Amino acid sequence: MAEAIMAEEIEKAELPFKVDSAGTFAADGAPASKNAELALENLGYEPEKHRSKPLSKKLIDWADIIFAMEATHVEIVCAMFPEAAEKTHTLLGYTAGIGGFPGEGYDISDPYGGDEEEYMQCAVQLREAIRTLLD
């Protein structure tokens, strides 16, 4: 959802940024869940035909900045790719002006396996953080 929201918000703002996404333990090629697609549609975003992919050295090298949804993801990214430490942040922490590992209170909970309401709450939180970031 984060990639879809970020890409559309970047396009609306006519900014010259590119966005991609990957998971620290993602299966390669899995489609977005139905609840993720519904949450995106409910917020007016076009659900893309996203396929998951695992985080790779190639993506780490490509990215100028890496946003994680949870602080534990920052820790995992930095453990997997120590060279990414300076450019890896939680999205909420970064929008609050706190780089790297911000501590408690700056996570966007992963709704994986949750119901439609959990996905909707996550999508709203992502949208607000991304809009704050791009303002």
Side-chain angles (χ1 to χ4, degrees), residues 1-82:
M1 290 190 305
E3 179 184 359
I5 294 169
M6 179 80 82
E8 284 197 42
E9 292 295 330
I10 285 170
E11 186 177 321
K12 285 179 197 173
E14 298 179 351
L15 295 169
F17 304 133
K18 294 183 181 180
V19 63
D20 203 345
S21 67
T24 51
F25 295 105
D28 198 13
S33 73
K34 186 66 178 164
N35 285 337
E37 290 179 353
L38 288 170
L40 289 170
E41 288 174 352
N42 287 337
L43 290 179
Y45 296 103
E46 196 170 311
E48 77 223 66
K49 297 302 172 201
H50 174 75
R51 297 283 180 198
S52 65
K53 64 179 167 260
L55 187 60
S56 67
K57 172 92 169 98
K58 182 178 178 180
L59 280 172
I60 291 291
D61 292 343
W62 173 82
D64 292 321
I65 191 163
I66 299 166
F67 292 117
M69 299 302 102
E70 298 178 3
T72 56
H73 297 149
V74 172
E75 291 177 324
I76 293 166
V77 170
C78 294
M80 292 171 68
F81 303 98

Side-chain angles (χ1 to χ4, degrees), residues 96-107:
I98 305 167
F101 184 79
E104 292 184 31
Y106 295 96
D107 288 350

Side-chain angles (χ1 to χ4, degrees), residues 79-102:
M80 292 171 68
F81 303 98
E83 68 276 19
E86 293 297 315
K87 62 181 177 179
T88 304
H89 315 274
T90 63
L91 179 59
L92 286 182
Y94 195 83
T95 61
I98 305 167
F101 184 79

Side-chain angles (χ1 to χ4, degrees), residues 1 33 35-36 39 69-70 108-123 126:
M1 290 190 305
S33 73
N35 285 337
M69 299 302 102
E70 298 178 3
I108 296 175
S109 295
D110 186 349
Y112 181 77
D115 61 22
E116 188 177 341
E117 183 177 328
E118 289 174 272
Y119 276 85
M120 190 65 189
Q121 289 172 353
C122 179
L126 285 168

